[in-house]
Amino acid sequence: MGILDTVYFLPIPFTQVKFEVNGCQVAIALCVLPLMWLVRGLYRLISWKINRDTLKALVKVKREESKEARDRLKERIKDTPGYKKQDEITKLGTAELIQKLHKRELKALDALHAFQGKALKLNEDLNFWCETLEEAEEWAKECDDSKELKGLLHGLPISLKDHLAVKGYDQTIGLTQSIFKPSLMDQSIVQVLRSQGAVPFVKTNVPQLMFSLETSNPVFGTSLNPHDKKRGPGGSSGGEGAIIGGGGSVLGIGSDIGGSIRCPATFCGCCGFKPTAGRLSNDDNLEMFKGEKTIPATFGPLAKDVNGLAVCMEALLTDQLFQLAPTTPPLVFNKQIYEDKRPMKIGYFASFDPPLFEAIPAVQRAVREAKQILEHQGHTLVEFKPPFVQELFRDVYTPCIIGESCTEHYKSLKGEIIDPTTRMLAFTHVAPMWLKTCLKHFLSLIGMKDEAATIESSSKMKRCQDWWDVTALCEKLTGRFIDHWKRAGLDAVIAPAYGSVAMPTGNPEDYVGQILAYFALWNVLNFPAGVLPVTKVTKSDQENLKHWKASTFASRRIKKHMEGSEGLPVAVQCITLPWQDERCLRLMADLERGVKNKK
């Protein structure tokens, strides 16, 4: 007989049972309950302190291990021919370097030692180095000893973003809980690069969880910009931007879901390419990014020049990749399109219209100069106004990335040392709804409507239907955007890479907002997009900046950050329709050639 049955057969109604509580019992309860809460709080505090101290000890060991590996490497290569000729070797363009390696005019081991030496020196100031790949010298020797070329990248030293899996090495993405948990196998892209003769020699730094455009985390610290050590290299492939922009690597691999390849390339003065998502394998991406299909992330190259981007894509798009990742479309690199010389009709815009963030004067000048260069080459340039930008960014991108209050991302931060660059993610998750609502209304009252809309979108995705609605909206707007593009008869578009140039470290929140739309727009649409440097900030740009009217709070913040930016690289972004990656690279190559001829 159960409890309910017992109650049912009581001789008197259960509701008439009287419970007597005396004052002594109440007093004891009132004393004990607060004491229990106090003990519980102290226990949590002590546990947190012990856990934090343990994590700090782990970080210390990891950093010491990384430094010892670098010191051993430096001692091992300091007297080698390649190390002594590093300035001569590292100045070579990608095509010239590959040609010398293919003709055996330069040994792969000498090339490796040259770039290792250069990167070690740069790292002392820029702090981009995570893991030393100890097998690199063995791989280089294999290239030198082989009778035939191993592939398109035979003997070429390359760098890899930290979150790419390399067998035997950590894949931390700035999380202390991922320290000393080495990957069990190489990622498919790494396998293909190795089979093409590339020699990976270093893994480079990223923001914690790769959720910021400023590269900093509790494990390896903050990375800096090779052109100005007070500024950041961008993110999330910030370590790649720093090492390539500084000349310590000629080619690297990053990933992009909102500018994570193009931002570091823009800030550090190198080239970066975001392919059409799906063109390169993304099957073995980190678990935290699996399942988000509306705006998929993609791997892609960063390089010293456009030729490096193209040869990397050609080397990756092979049968081996399609076999390792069967869901990848078997589309090999089309050199005929990349080498095409026919004039194109190209749209351009120098800034988003208000209320979106307006690009600073130096960025707008860069687009106008790119327009003139391309027109001089015989291309037709027409003004293009991208439609639905605010809707695509505010109503699609923001909800998909942080629309469930960053719950999935925040799971990885439990028990972690949280880096300042991740504080916005943490706030988005832990802030109660009433606080977000109050903050949204306050921002609206003081004129920060875009920021208020972002906060409103941050908790939008609560039901399965919400995801369906946003995905349907994305499909609808993408179709209408493509129709607008086709009616203009465009082959490609050039636009600002970003609304500004590299910004000072310590301001992660200022990287986002509407200024991010210059990158994120093409992720939402899934258009291939690449960036390349075309000029530098001049004195005239700085004078024009003084008279530039900053209409929003974000614009005023950016304007302040741009003080002292003279001499920093300014990039332009090239975009084409989905799956026309080779055409996008062809446009980048034309523009790069025009920039060099102008100089």
Side-chain angles (χ1 to χ4, degrees):
M1 186 176 289
I3 294 175
L4 293 178
D5 296 325
T6 305
V7 173
Y8 181 79
F9 286 105
L10 284 174
I12 57 174
F14 184 71
T15 54
Q16 296 181 14
V17 178
K18 296 181 179 179
F19 297 93
E20 295 184 1
V21 180
N22 57 42
C24 182
Q25 291 173 325
V26 173
I28 292 173
L30 291 175
C31 292
V32 171
L33 286 174
L35 183 62
M36 289 174 62
W37 280 103
L38 179 62
V39 171
R40 184 186 180 197
L42 287 172
Y43 172 77
R44 286 186 171 183
L45 180 62
I46 293 170
S47 299
W48 175 82
K49 182 69 168 62
I50 292 173
N51 181 62
R52 191 175 180 87
D53 290 343
T54 302
L55 294 178
K56 285 184 175 180
L58 267 177
V59 169
K60 184 178 180 181
V61 173
K62 182 64 180 179
R63 289 191 180 186
E64 289 176 351
E65 182 188 81
S66 180
K67 185 178 183 304
E68 288 172 1
R70 293 195 302 271
D71 290 342
R72 289 195 304 270
L73 175 61
K74 186 174 182 178
E75 185 65 26
R76 191 164 65 245
I77 69 173
K78 66 179 183 180
D79 294 323
T80 62
Y83 183 87
K84 293 177 180 178
K85 294 182 179 180
Q86 63 183 263
D87 290 336
E88 175 187 337
I89 295 172
T90 57
K91 285 181 180 179
L92 296 173
T94 311
E96 189 177 1
L97 181 60
I98 291 176
Q99 186 180 42
K100 286 182 176 293
L101 288 165
H102 283 197
K103 290 183 176 181
R104 311 289 179 139
E105 295 173 2
L106 175 65
K107 288 185 176 181
L109 191 60
D110 288 342
L112 172 64
H113 289 157
F115 281 98
Q116 285 175 325
K118 179 77 170 182
L120 286 168
K121 287 182 180 178
L122 284 170
N123 187 68
E124 293 175 5
D125 293 326
L126 306 183
N127 189 44
F128 51 72
W129 197 296
C130 293
E131 301 275 6
T132 303
L133 303 186
E134 302 287 353
E135 299 88 348
E137 288 173 274
E138 178 185 336
W139 295 335
K141 288 177 182 177
E142 289 176 2
C143 290
D144 289 332
D145 293 341
S146 65
K147 294 182 179 180
E148 297 181 354
L149 296 178
K150 283 185 169 288
L152 281 175
L153 305 178
H154 176 90
L156 187 70
I158 67 168
S159 47
L160 301 173
K161 185 176 181 177
D162 173 65
H163 103 276
L164 274 86
V166 178
K167 183 178 179 181
Y169 295 92
D170 289 348
Q171 191 181 5
T172 68
I173 61 170
L175 296 174
T176 56
Q177 61 188 278
S178 299
I179 294 175
F180 302 124
K181 295 179 180 179
S183 303
L184 300 178
M185 63 181 296
D186 290 340
Q187 215 150 337
S188 58
I189 283 182
V190 177
Q191 292 181 50
V192 177
L193 289 168
R194 285 277 301 109
S195 70
Q196 287 280 17
V199 181
F201 69 95
V202 62
K203 293 186 74 179
T204 57
N205 205 20
V206 299
Q208 190 174 35
L209 279 181
M210 303 190 297
F211 206 77
S212 172
L213 295 183
E214 183 171 343
T215 296
S216 177
N217 64 70
V219 181
F220 295 106
T222 302
S223 299
L224 304 175
N225 192 294
H227 301 279
D228 184 346
K229 299 181 186 67
K230 295 179 182 178
R231 299 176 183 268
S236 64
S237 310
E240 282 301 301
I243 190 174
I244 296 172
S249 175
V250 71
L251 174 66
I253 301 294
S255 59
D256 196 309
I257 196 173
S260 290
I261 288 172
R262 292 160 291 155
C263 178
T266 297
F267 284 9
C268 298
C270 57
C271 300
F273 182 62
K274 178 201 80 68
T276 305
R279 187 75 191 269
L280 294 178
S281 165
N282 206 28
D283 292 351
D284 42 12
N285 208 344
L286 289 175
E287 285 296 327
M288 59 185 288
F289 295 106
K290 288 186 180 295
E292 205 290 283
K293 300 297 185 182
T294 306
I295 307 174
T298 178
F299 292 110
L302 296 88
K304 184 176 184 177
D305 47 42
V306 177
N307 180 267
L309 303 176
V311 75
C312 182
M313 291 296 293
E314 184 180 357
L316 286 171
L317 294 172
T318 61
D319 289 338
Q320 183 186 9
L321 179 67
F322 308 143
Q323 291 172 7
L324 288 169
T327 59
T328 303
L331 301 174
V332 297
F333 189 82
N334 192 325
K335 290 191 72 173
Q336 185 177 354
I337 294 177
Y338 175 63
E339 296 173 351
D340 189 12
K341 302 299 181 185
R342 287 177 294 179
M344 293 189 288
K345 185 177 181 181
I346 302 166
Y348 75 93
F349 65 94
S351 180
F352 285 139
D353 287 338
L356 292 173
F357 182 84
E358 186 179 11
I360 64 170
V363 171
Q364 295 193 44
R365 176 180 62 82
V367 175
R368 291 193 297 268
E369 289 190 3
K371 170 183 175 289
Q372 293 173 356
I373 289 170
L374 292 170
E375 284 178 329
H376 183 71
Q377 293 177 338
H379 299 293
T380 300
L381 275 289
V382 295
E383 192 168 1
F384 175 73
K385 184 177 180 180
F388 318 119
V389 176
Q390 191 162 6
E391 293 89 340
L392 285 163
F393 181 72
R394 183 192 61 201
D395 300 332
V396 177
Y397 185 81
T398 303
C400 284
I401 300 302
I402 61 173
E404 35 69 73
S405 296
C406 297
T407 300
E408 289 302 313
H409 283 77
Y410 193 76
K411 288 177 183 177
S412 301
L413 291 177
K414 287 185 178 180
E416 276 288 330
I417 301 173
I418 297 180
D419 193 84
T421 58
T422 319
R423 61 192 175 204
M424 186 175 66
L425 180 152
F427 172 80
T428 301
H429 177 74
V430 302
M433 185 56 66
W434 65 265
L435 179 58
K436 291 181 184 179
T437 303
C438 292
L439 184 58
K440 179 188 71 174
H441 290 308
F442 173 74
L443 292 175
S444 296
L445 286 173
I446 63 174
M448 299 174 63
K449 295 182 180 180
D450 292 332
E451 289 77 3
T454 300
I455 290 176
E456 185 177 8
S457 298
S458 68
S459 302
K460 188 175 182 179
M461 314 297 277
K462 297 177 181 177
R463 305 169 302 149
C464 180
Q465 185 65 48
D466 295 329
W467 284 101
W468 291 351
D469 291 342
V470 167
T471 301
L473 178 62
C474 181
E475 292 173 352
K476 175 184 175 182
L477 293 179
T478 298
R480 293 172 65 183
F481 194 105
I482 292 174
D483 288 342
H484 183 78
W485 179 300
K486 287 183 175 179
R487 283 196 300 271
L490 302 179
D491 295 303
V493 163
I494 60 169
Y498 193 59
S500 73
V501 295
M503 294 198 290
T505 57
N507 303 279
E509 288 85 0
D510 291 334
Y511 284 78
V512 295
Q514 302 292 10
I515 191 172
L516 180 62
Y518 286 100
F519 290 135
L521 173 63
W522 313 114
N523 291 92
V524 179
L525 296 168
N526 196 18
F527 287 15
V531 298
L532 70 155
V534 298
T535 185
K536 293 183 179 180
V537 179
T538 64
K539 288 184 179 180
S540 298
D541 292 327
Q542 293 296 84
E543 284 297 317
N544 292 334
L545 184 67
K546 293 178 183 178
H547 306 290
W548 180 58
K549 293 182 180 180
S551 57
T552 66
F553 175 80
S555 300
R556 290 190 288 273
R557 291 280 296 173
I558 297 299
K559 182 176 181 179
K560 183 174 177 61
H561 292 324
M562 290 303 99
E563 295 176 2
S565 61
E566 185 179 343
L568 292 179
V570 188
V572 164
Q573 190 165 200
C574 300
I575 309 103
T576 53
L577 290 173
W579 307 105
Q580 296 182 7
D581 304 70
E582 291 88 346
R583 179 173 291 171
C584 184
L585 288 165
R586 178 260 165 115
L587 174 58
M588 294 176 69
D590 285 354
L591 182 54
E592 182 183 61
R593 185 167 56 254
V595 170
K596 289 179 179 178
N597 291 338
K598 184 178 179 181
K599 289 180 181 180

